[in-house]
Amino acid sequence: MAAAGGSGERRGHLAAVILARGGSKGIPLKNIRKLAGRPLIAWVLRAALDSQAFDSVWVSTDNDEIEKVAKEFGAQVHRRSAEVSKDTTPSLETIQEFLQHHPEVDIVGNIQATSPCLHPLDLAKVVDMIRNQGYDSVFAVVRHHMFRWREVKVPGEGTVPENLNPACRPRRQDWRGELFENGSFYFATKELISRGLLQGGKMAYYEMKPEHSIDIDVDLDWPIAEQRVKRFGYFGKEVPTVVKLLVCNIDGCLTDGRVYVNQEHESISYSLRDLDGIQKLMEKGVTILLISQRNIHPSLISTMNLPCEVEVNTINKMAVLQMRMSEMGLSFYEVAYMGCSDSDVECLKFAGTSGVPVDASTAAKMTDSFSCTQGGGCGAIEEFAEHIITLMESGR
């Protein structure tokens, strides 16, 4: 379809199409596997729907479970044929089949289900490029600062640089880097697709932020993607985060987990930065409860000058958490929890918002929790507090 004359506006039906085959061999049914608490495909569906830039949003699949999840998150479903559901089938052929069954569609935005950090604003800007700026195809790129060298194919053969002068290596801040496709999306007109092209005509790239540019292909990508999504993903506009209670483990979160002892008394250390974080949350109306499995002496607690309530000798942390929730009339969705040890895992899994220091136990890190860059006793609580405030203020 050609752009309208005069104004340059391109009209016609614009459809978002997410390809989600059920037979992925790298990660079986990866498109609906939970990532940071939601099916993988739900992240891009939410971005596409909330952009309000598409006339329709579709998932093309051959699988009943994927169809169910797609409809649950607001997409229409196109049941693709077995002929375009093979391991070797190019995406282009699957999109061409979709267009054969949906002749009303004039422009396709092919969005990859494996790009969970996609944001609605990016999609809206790309649609504007297609609709109003005269481009026939637009695709996503990310900027990398990597030096390339020619591959050696014959033993003993020397290599040569392909994008740098070794005698004058540029500093990162002095080099703009290079643009690489990241696979997040490919927009193209029906006319191009019918000619066997996803890129052609008047082409343009859309540069995505590095933190939003991630793709999941194998299992090793999963934990990296999960942490990236928790920090930079789009969590939706319809359900804002509301935290009314933060329960935090003293041992290993407020402190570094060490206890200093002599013949008369014991002592612990903590960061004043974390007290600042606690104060920031309290100013936002969040109730703070610090807990410890240890029976810390009251005199030691009093010398810490903590601005919030402290409960020690808490053998069953979940019981303490649930009792406080009952007293305040809260659901798990309104609770944040920060822990670092295996005894915190149950609470971390149930809390609506959870966090762990960088030096937390493996079991604690494996929960669906925000992972701080700071360790216990070194600013992790402040970092988690800022994360909570960001979620609440952004409506995520």
Side-chain angles (χ1 to χ4, degrees):
M1 183 187 70
S7 67
E9 180 184 0
R10 175 181 275 115
R11 298 182 179 86
H13 189 109
L14 171 57
V17 180
I18 295 95
L19 307 182
R21 189 169 61 91
S24 172
K25 290 184 176 180
I27 306 175
L29 287 178
K30 69 178 178 182
N31 293 307
I32 55 174
R33 177 176 168 181
K34 289 291 183 68
L35 178 79
R38 295 182 177 88
L40 175 60
I41 198 171
W43 292 99
V44 294
L45 284 175
R46 176 165 289 172
L49 290 164
D50 283 359
S51 73
Q52 299 183 331
F54 299 95
D55 297 301
S56 59
V57 176
W58 295 83
V59 170
S60 169
T61 187
D62 60 338
N63 182 272
D64 292 341
E65 293 180 62
I66 295 176
E67 176 176 358
K68 180 180 178 181
V69 172
K71 289 180 177 178
E72 179 184 345
F73 283 88
Q76 299 181 69
V77 173
H78 167 73
R79 290 299 295 235
R80 65 169 76 174
S81 68
E83 286 73 20
V84 296
S85 300
K86 303 173 184 176
D87 291 339
T88 56
T89 303
S91 297
L92 179 63
E93 291 184 12
T94 309
I95 296 170
Q96 288 175 329
E97 186 201 64
F98 170 83
L99 286 173
Q100 290 172 4
H101 288 83
H102 301 280
E104 75 279 5
V105 175
D106 299 291
I107 311 164
V108 171
N110 173 215
I111 302 171
Q112 301 298 309
T114 52
S115 300
C117 281
L118 195 59
H119 279 240
L121 183 60
D122 291 323
L123 294 173
K125 288 180 178 178
V126 172
V127 169
D128 179 70
M129 295 171 73
I130 288 281
R131 290 281 199 197
N132 302 314
Q133 298 179 38
Y135 292 104
D136 302 304
S137 59
V138 183
F139 53 93
V141 300
V142 63
R143 190 177 299 274
H144 287 311
H145 293 77
M146 296 186 293
F147 297 129
R148 291 183 288 106
W149 292 79
R150 184 174 301 169
E151 181 182 358
V152 174
K153 298 182 179 180
V154 179
E157 181 183 12
T159 187
V160 295
E162 295 192 327
N163 67 344
L164 81 151
N165 178 1
C168 186
R169 295 173 65 92
R171 299 183 303 166
R172 181 184 178 90
Q173 58 265 40
D174 296 330
W175 182 43
R176 285 186 55 78
E178 296 181 327
L179 299 177
F180 293 81
E181 290 185 25
N182 68 5
S184 288
F185 53 76
Y186 297 85
F187 282 64
T189 63
K190 178 165 63 176
E191 189 272 334
L192 276 176
I193 295 170
S194 67
R195 290 163 44 200
L197 298 170
L198 280 175
Q199 295 161 302
K202 184 179 179 181
M203 290 185 290
Y205 62 77
Y206 180 84
E207 184 176 348
M208 290 179 59
K209 296 178 179 179
E211 59 267 28
H212 293 167
S213 181
I214 189 166
D215 184 49
I216 300 175
D217 186 37
V218 295
D219 261 325
L220 288 176
D221 298 328
W222 208 268
I224 298 172
E226 194 150 48
Q227 292 306 318
R228 188 79 67 84
V229 165
K230 290 173 184 175
R231 287 181 177 272
F232 305 113
Y234 172 71
F235 282 72
K237 62 184 181 180
E238 71 280 4
V239 183
T241 296
V242 178
V243 174
K244 296 183 178 179
L245 170 67
L246 167 63
V247 178
C248 179
N249 188 358
I250 292 175
D251 311 312
C253 292
L254 180 65
T255 75
D256 60 7
R258 293 183 289 183
V259 177
Y260 307 89
V261 297
N262 59 33
Q263 292 180 343
E264 297 180 357
H265 63 273
E266 66 178 33
S267 61
I268 56 179
S269 64
Y270 60 92
S271 171
L272 294 178
R273 292 170 50 193
D274 288 329
L275 293 192
D276 290 340
I278 290 173
Q279 193 63 50
K280 290 176 184 177
L281 285 175
M282 293 177 68
E283 291 172 358
K284 295 290 183 180
V286 179
T287 298
I288 311 294
L289 172 63
L290 298 177
I291 61 174
S292 173
Q293 283 186 302
R294 299 173 55 245
N295 190 15
I296 305 175
H297 196 277
S299 63
L300 180 56
I301 294 295
S302 64
T303 60
M304 295 173 71
N305 295 317
L306 299 172
C308 55
E309 186 178 351
V310 178
E311 188 166 334
V312 300
N313 200 25
T314 56
I315 305 304
N316 188 331
K317 295 177 179 177
M318 177 57 79
V320 171
L321 175 61
Q322 290 179 317
M323 181 177 295
R324 184 52 56 97
M325 289 170 54
S326 177
E327 293 172 354
M328 298 178 64
L330 303 179
S331 66
F332 275 111
Y333 180 76
E334 300 168 295
V335 173
Y337 188 92
M338 187 171 198
C340 62
S341 65
D342 290 8
S343 62
D344 294 307
V345 168
E346 186 180 15
C347 295
L348 288 168
K349 286 182 176 180
F350 277 88
T353 306
S354 56
V356 296
V358 69
D359 50 0
S361 72
T362 300
K365 286 183 176 179
M366 291 299 289
T367 59
D368 179 22
S369 300
F370 175 82
S371 183
C372 298
T373 60
Q374 303 298 319
C378 299
I381 294 179
E382 180 188 45
E383 184 178 352
F384 185 47
E386 291 176 349
H387 173 68
I388 292 172
I389 292 170
T390 297
L391 292 181
M392 292 196 293
E393 291 182 346
S394 65
R396 287 161 53 175

